[in-house]
Amino acid sequence: MIILGIETSCDETSVSVLKDKKILSNIVLSQINIHKKFGGVVPEVAARHHLLNLPVIYTEALKKANINPEDVDAVAVTYGPGLIGALLVGLSFAKGISARYDIPLVGVNHIIGHVYANYIAYPDLTPPFIVLMVSGGHTEILKVEREKIEVLGKTMDDAAGEAFDKVARILKLGYPGGPEIEKIAKNGDPNKFNFPRPMINSKNYNFSFSGLKTSVLYTVKNFKDSIPTADIAASFQEAVVDILLHKTFKAARDSGINKIVLAGGVAANSRLREKAKLLGIKFKYDILIPPLEFCTDNAAMIAMAGYYKLSEGKIDSLDLEAAPNLKINP
Ligand code: KG4
Ligand code: ZN
């Protein structure tokens, strides 16, 4: 069974070929350098670049996998959540392939795709496990059980990556903010500023980052000149990591599940990875952190999620619509 995966929900154009759960190719073209100068992803620009690049990436993915278009048995595509224009490009392309080669179309929820990325990184992984899903657009704690994915908690305002990006802007660092803050934080004192950890002691598994961001803004404003950027970045990063891990470990403990997986772009953060591992050792949890290429957006995870959906006999019609605000359990 050969599955083609297509991902265009944000600013990565990606196509992957999967054969019986083995990745034959996974081509990812990031638009980051195009959006950098605007300080964030410009939806219209993203859609136009997907339109230009997707046919090229498709051809490249087939070539790398050493297969012909006729060899593909099904096409899996992200249909939400994401930017509407960007999603439409991938979905329309996938529908075209489905119609042209008369093969099934499988719509994949992007967040569920991130969960399936873990099955690529860890082929022996079996549910149940807890996922901390942290990216530019999402911050969720998921409980994955056989046949079921439950959202235990989510952010009430900004996503964790969004908070990194906004604080980086306050500190006049570049975009995307996460890697910039991480870099400069290495020279700073994480205990210099005691930033708030909103909702850390709330009884649920939800998050809030906007108060923390505002607190950073006021701290910066208090300095007329010579802002201690490294100390502020390190203290902010420590607060985010504390909040994320506190709630994730609480979710694992309360659910009686001893396996925790990190996913999404923010899982690239070295302090988050390091502290997750330390707490894992201390409290006896298995901590799984996929390699970065499967944390950030890619089509291999979409193809993998499509494979599982297809093996349950689920396919979609060509009427499937892009769903920018798609939820995990619609
Ligand atoms: O998953 P991703 O590549 O794209 C989606 O949002 O789907 O995540 C991008 C986000 C950005 O907000 C970026 O600032 C953040 O992940 N990020 C990081 C790091 N690398 C990327 N945040 C903290 N530390 C990092 N090293
Ligand atoms: Zn994503």
Side-chain angles (χ1 to χ4, degrees):
M1 162 82 75
I2 294 184
I3 299 189
L4 188 79
I6 298 179
E7 158 62 41
T8 62
S9 66
C10 190
D11 61 344
E12 267 94 27
T13 314
S14 182
V15 179
S16 171
V17 177
L18 194 75
K19 184 179 184 186
D20 303 330
K21 293 175 74 176
K22 189 170 165 283
I23 298 171
L24 299 186
S25 66
N26 181 36
I27 312 287
V28 183
L29 179 71
S30 172
Q31 301 177 6
I32 211 108
N33 286 327
I34 294 157
H35 298 284
K36 224 174 193 154
K37 53 180 173 291
F38 304 110
V41 177
V42 184
E44 179 63 23
V45 175
R48 282 173 192 277
H49 280 87
H50 285 311
L51 203 54
L52 273 176
N53 296 324
L54 185 53
V56 183
I57 301 296
Y58 165 66
T59 308
E60 205 177 318
L62 293 184
K63 196 171 154 206
K64 176 116 191 267
N66 202 17
I67 61 158
N68 295 313
E70 297 79 21
D71 300 333
V72 176
D73 297 306
V75 53
V77 61
T78 303
Y79 73 107
L83 305 169
I84 179 74
L87 288 167
L88 276 171
V89 176
L91 183 58
S92 308
F93 194 87
K95 285 179 182 178
I97 290 174
S98 166
R100 163 69 178 81
Y101 297 102
D102 196 19
I103 53 173
L105 174 78
V106 186
V108 172
N109 179 318
H110 180 81
I111 305 176
I112 293 181
H114 274 294
V115 173
Y116 278 89
N118 298 305
Y119 291 102
I120 304 173
Y122 304 105
D124 299 332
L125 178 66
T126 50
F129 55 90
I130 295 288
V131 183
L132 172 63
M133 163 65 218
V134 270
S135 73
H138 312 283
T139 299
E140 273 125 23
I141 295 180
L142 309 174
K143 181 160 91 173
V144 181
E145 290 171 304
R146 228 168 272 282
E147 312 274 311
K148 197 167 117 212
I149 298 175
E150 187 184 346
V151 182
L152 295 183
K154 61 182 180 0
T155 180
M156 301 284 98
D157 38 56
D158 293 344
E162 204 177 344
F164 269 98
D165 295 338
K166 287 180 175 171
V167 165
R169 213 170 299 156
I170 293 170
L171 293 174
K172 300 200 164 49
L173 303 170
Y175 177 85
E180 298 290 326
I181 289 194
E182 176 182 344
K183 208 185 324 161
I184 197 157
K186 290 205 176 2
N187 303 317
D189 175 1
N191 301 313
K192 186 81 181 182
F193 296 94
N194 188 17
F195 288 128
R197 277 120 168 102
M199 292 182 71
I200 198 163
N201 291 319
S202 67
K203 294 219 166 4
N204 53 35
Y205 310 106
N206 293 332
F207 304 99
S208 166
F209 295 104
S210 74
L212 169 59
K213 176 192 67 196
T214 309
S215 178
V216 172
L217 180 66
Y218 285 127
T219 303
V220 170
K221 279 190 171 161
N222 275 338
F223 289 91
K224 294 269 174 306
D225 39 40
S226 66
I227 295 163
T229 308
D231 289 339
I232 293 176
S235 303
F236 161 76
Q237 175 177 269
E238 199 65 20
V240 175
V241 167
D242 277 351
I243 299 164
L244 291 175
L245 294 178
H246 188 93
K247 288 288 170 96
T248 306
F249 278 80
K250 173 178 160 61
R253 190 168 57 243
D254 293 352
S255 314
I257 293 174
N258 69 351
K259 236 181 290 173
I260 295 173
V261 184
L262 305 191
V266 181
N269 185 274
S270 57
R271 181 63 186 146
L272 179 66
R273 298 168 86 99
E274 175 189 55
K275 204 159 183 176
K277 283 183 200 151
L278 288 173
L279 291 174
I281 293 167
K282 186 170 167 193
F283 296 117
K284 301 198 166 50
Y285 288 88
D286 286 341
I287 308 295
L288 308 179
I289 311 179
L292 210 57
E293 60 176 313
F294 299 124
C295 282
T296 51
D297 290 351
N298 66 86
M301 68 185 195
I302 303 303
M304 185 64 95
Y307 176 91
Y308 278 89
K309 196 170 161 181
L310 206 59
S311 57
E312 289 165 14
K314 295 180 188 154
I315 62 169
D316 290 290
S317 82
L318 290 180
D319 295 334
L320 181 69
E321 287 184 19
N325 299 312
L326 187 64
K327 301 279 177 283
I328 292 224
N329 298 310

